[in-house]
Every structure is written in C-alpha cells, then in structure tokens.
Amino acid sequence: MKLIVLERNSVGTDIDVSCFEQFGEVTYYANTTAEQVAERVKDADIIISNKAPLNETTLADAPHVKLICLLATGYDCVDLAYCTSKGIKVTNVVNYCTPAVAQHTILLALMLSEKIAFYDDYVKSGAYSAQDRFSNFDRAFHDLDGKTWGIIGMGTIGRKVAALASAFGCDVIFYSASGKSTYTKYPRVELDTLLRTSDILSLHCPLTDRTRNLIDKNALNKMKPTAILINVARGPVVNTQDLYQALMAEKIMAAGLDVLEKEPLEPSNPLSQFKDSTKLIITPHMSWASIESRTRLIAEIVKNIQAFLDGTDRNVLTI
C-alpha cells in the first residue's frame, strides 16, 4: 500500500502520525497546493488529505486510488460524484472536535459581550492604576442570562453549544440549515425569526448551496443592532463585504470569526482593517485544534483505514 499524506502539518507537528505506517509505505508532504495534487497522488492507493481539491482534474492520472481519508468533517473539497464513479471510497471524521469548537464559540461570545479586550487594555495601559476608584465599567455590558441564542445548524456541535448556552440561562432557538432537522429539544424557527430575535447568533452548519452567503446584507439588516454574530462553521456562509459594511454601519454590535471566505486572511480582506477587538475578533481557524481534538482525529483516521481494509463502511461518504 502506498499512502500519501498531502497536508501533514494541518494537524500540527506536535501530533504523532507514524501510526499510518502500519498500513504501508507513507509519503508525507507538509502542505500541498491545488497545482501540486495531481503529481503527488498519481501512485497513491490511499490519500490522506484536508483541504486539497480531490476531483477529476487532480485524480484523473491516479488509477490506483482506492480510499480518500479526510482529516476533517467537511468534504466540500472532494467531488463525491466523481469518486463514486471511479469506485473510490471517501471517509471523513465526525465529532472529534465538538468540545473544542463549542468551547471556542462560547469564548468568542463572552469576550465580545463583556468587551474583554477593552478592559484588558484598560488595565495594561496603566489607566486602571491611575484612577481613584476600585472598579471600572465604562463600556456597558449585559448578562447572557435571559438572552436569545440563535443557532444555524443543530448538529452535534450546535447541540453542544445549545447546552452550554442554556447553562448560562439563554433561551435557545435554531434554524435548520438543511430544512430536514427533526430535533425537538429547542424550538425550530424560520430564518427571519432567528435573525430578528437572536441576541447571539452562532453558525454551525456545513457549506452547501443552501448555506453559501446565507448571512448576507439582507440577513444582517434583519439582525438587532445589539446582536453578536459568531461563525465557527465555514467562511463562505458569511458574505465578507456585507459583514464589513454591517459592522461599519453598526447594523450589528460585533462579530467573532474563526473562519473566513479565503484563508489565511488576505491583506485585501476589508475585515483586516478592524483593530477594535470589542467589535471584531478573528482567530486563525483554530477552534477545532485542541490537543485532544487532533489526537482523536488521527486515531479516527487509523480506524477508517482499518475498516476499509476489513471491508466495512465506517464513516464512508456517499452522494
């Protein structure tokens, strides 16, 4: 067996991936651009990848590929129809980072809600030491208790966030990104209702034709001017230019992003102009990447490969 790991560094060099070598000869690439994929996979039996495009263009000259293992839950980088037509199995890994992403969602909401960046800077600047009173709360903030927390995408991560938000006393509502959810623990509402009533709106949906640009100018204009938007799903779910304009015009109060339309952040991205972390926090697509999450991810890839070799369909994606 020849295994090709296209983006070894995407799981961090602090995580041991030598466990792949039990299955055969492994070639590791730190990272792989779209232009490099076809050449690197041409002799592969198994491809282990994250974001590299795997489609007819990149796989046409790779006749031996039998299995693609994604180092991720999302699979928008893979042409499933083409892979199915060629008998290539595709697997992903689900639920490995649920605690980490949910934790990060709450963190962003709390930091923006309580304007932590302002108060941290206030103390470190010396302004707190120079004042003559014991406390400072010049920037108003509010309880989470009693606020409405809206969720788009009530999957595993969405449900974990809902439970944590409920523990803070929030009233949780959700919109089904697929339109098929039968989950009944929290009220399911239409998108307009979610946008108009949410004090905090967090996104936990996959990127599909239904969700691309779901949060655009029209959606942002329906939100409360005091609302906080959190995106830990996929960057293109939110229209970058429209979000920038909404923040500039104070159509919403703040946004916390762990994902962007194009990653890494490009200097031309208008959101890069924001230096006020009480209005916008951007983290570098790291909410999923706790040590525990990345360790689970590699362990699950090993299980997916073993299941394939044993002839069972574990986490196999189908169209």
Side-chain angles (χ1 to χ4, degrees):
M1 279 283 185
K2 290 187 177 181
L3 291 79
I4 305 296
V5 181
L6 290 176
E7 297 145 300
R8 186 262 174 273
N9 287 5
S10 69
V11 295
T13 55
D14 57 332
I15 300 297
D16 181 15
V17 297
S18 62
C19 49
F20 297 150
E21 294 164 20
Q22 66 186 288
F23 300 112
E25 175 189 340
V26 184
T27 301
Y28 299 98
Y29 295 101
N31 189 42
T32 297
T33 65
E35 295 73 24
Q36 295 170 324
V37 175
E39 176 63 26
R40 292 182 173 181
V41 304
K42 64 182 182 180
D43 296 322
D45 295 297
I46 296 175
I47 299 171
I48 300 172
S49 182
N50 195 322
K51 301 296 182 189
L54 297 167
N55 50 44
E56 184 172 3
T57 300
T58 58
L59 297 173
D61 295 323
H64 307 299
V65 175
K66 304 174 184 68
L67 175 68
I68 293 171
C69 291
L70 294 171
L71 292 158
T73 300
Y75 50 88
D76 46 285
C77 58
V78 180
D79 185 337
L80 291 182
Y82 176 78
C83 289
T84 298
S85 73
K86 295 297 181 180
I88 301 170
K89 297 288 182 69
V90 180
T91 66
N92 65 343
V93 182
V94 297
N95 303 335
Y96 70 95
C97 62
T98 297
V101 177
Q103 171 180 296
H104 197 79
T105 303
I106 300 296
L107 169 69
L108 290 173
L110 288 173
M111 289 189 68
L112 291 165
S113 179
E114 293 206 19
K115 300 178 172 60
I116 294 300
F118 169 80
Y119 287 110
D120 183 56
D121 288 343
Y122 186 82
V123 172
K124 290 176 179 175
S125 70
Y128 179 50
S129 298
Q131 72 174 42
D132 59 0
R133 55 195 171 103
F134 77 94
S135 184
N136 184 283
F137 40 87
D138 289 347
R139 293 280 186 97
F141 56 93
H142 301 275
D143 295 340
L144 287 186
D145 186 64
K147 298 297 186 294
T148 298
W149 189 305
I151 291 175
I152 296 180
M154 192 57 87
T156 304
I157 294 174
R159 294 176 192 183
K160 182 70 171 179
V161 170
L164 294 173
S166 296
F168 279 98
C170 294
D171 298 316
V172 175
I173 58 176
F174 79 99
Y175 168 74
S176 172
S178 67
K180 301 176 182 177
S181 177
T182 58
Y183 195 63
T184 58
K185 185 171 182 179
Y186 303 100
R188 175 181 167 182
V189 299
E190 294 301 317
L191 182 59
D192 272 11
T193 301
L194 189 89
L195 295 169
R196 295 183 191 283
T197 59
S198 295
D199 297 294
I200 298 169
L201 174 59
S202 61
L203 311 180
H204 309 286
C205 53
L207 179 62
T208 66
D209 290 340
R210 287 175 62 96
T211 62
R212 187 180 297 274
N213 283 318
L214 183 66
I215 306 301
D216 59 4
K217 180 179 180 179
N218 183 52
L220 290 160
N221 283 340
K222 293 176 182 177
M223 294 177 66
K224 296 180 179 181
T226 54
I228 295 171
L229 173 69
I230 307 293
N231 187 11
V232 294
R234 287 290 182 265
V237 176
V238 178
N239 183 286
T240 297
Q241 188 64 39
D242 291 351
L243 176 59
Y244 169 76
Q245 292 174 349
L247 289 169
M248 290 293 291
E250 299 185 344
K251 296 290 186 180
I252 63 172
M253 185 176 76
L257 311 175
D258 186 54
V259 290
L260 299 163
E261 279 192 88
K262 292 185 178 180
E263 298 170 344
L265 175 67
E266 297 179 325
S268 60
N269 188 321
L271 297 175
S272 66
Q273 299 176 28
F274 276 94
K275 306 304 178 187
D276 182 355
S277 294
T278 66
K279 292 191 69 172
L280 176 66
I281 294 175
I282 303 176
T283 52
H285 203 142
M286 45 75 72
S287 65
W288 64 278
S290 68
I291 289 286
E292 292 83 0
S293 291
R294 290 181 287 130
T295 300
R296 281 192 293 268
L297 174 60
I298 296 303
E300 290 296 307
I301 293 291
V302 169
K303 291 177 183 178
N304 284 345
I305 295 172
Q306 189 61 61
F308 168 76
L309 296 175
D310 292 342
T312 60
D313 285 348
R314 182 181 190 272
N315 292 334
V316 170
L317 296 164
T318 57
I319 57 173

